[in-house]
Amino acid sequence: MQLYINGEARRVDQIESVADLIETLSLTGRRIAVEVNEAIVPRTRHATTTLNEGDRVEIVHAIGGG
């Protein structure tokens, strides 16, 4: 399936949910925010939010500083 991740077309296989994508991208356990097709996906819904061909996914990393 092809997704657009942070504006870049990317082919991914064996991805069904946002949680699967996060694991594939090695982002599990990191402080991130995810948006699919311009809708924010709360962390509690990562496992149940399915992805479809052509979806646009934005992933933002939270960076702390002082």
Side-chain angles (χ1 to χ4, degrees), residues 4-64:
Y4 294 89
I5 302 171
N6 293 345
E8 181 180 321
R10 186 160 178 181
R11 192 106 184 113
V12 293
D13 296 316
Q14 307 297 325
I15 300 293
E16 292 184 17
S17 68
V18 170
D20 293 339
L21 179 62
I22 290 169
E23 184 175 336
T24 297
L25 297 175
S26 300
L27 297 174
T28 303
R30 297 202 181 168
R31 293 179 52 183
I32 59 172
V34 179
E35 180 180 281
V36 176
N37 299 325
E38 299 183 7
I40 294 173
V41 179
R43 184 178 304 272
T44 57
R45 293 187 43 218
H46 286 182
T48 59
T49 300
T50 57
L51 295 171
N52 300 295
E53 180 75 29
D55 278 349
R56 297 187 176 279
V57 181
E58 296 292 325
I59 300 174
V60 179
H61 300 262
I63 299 174

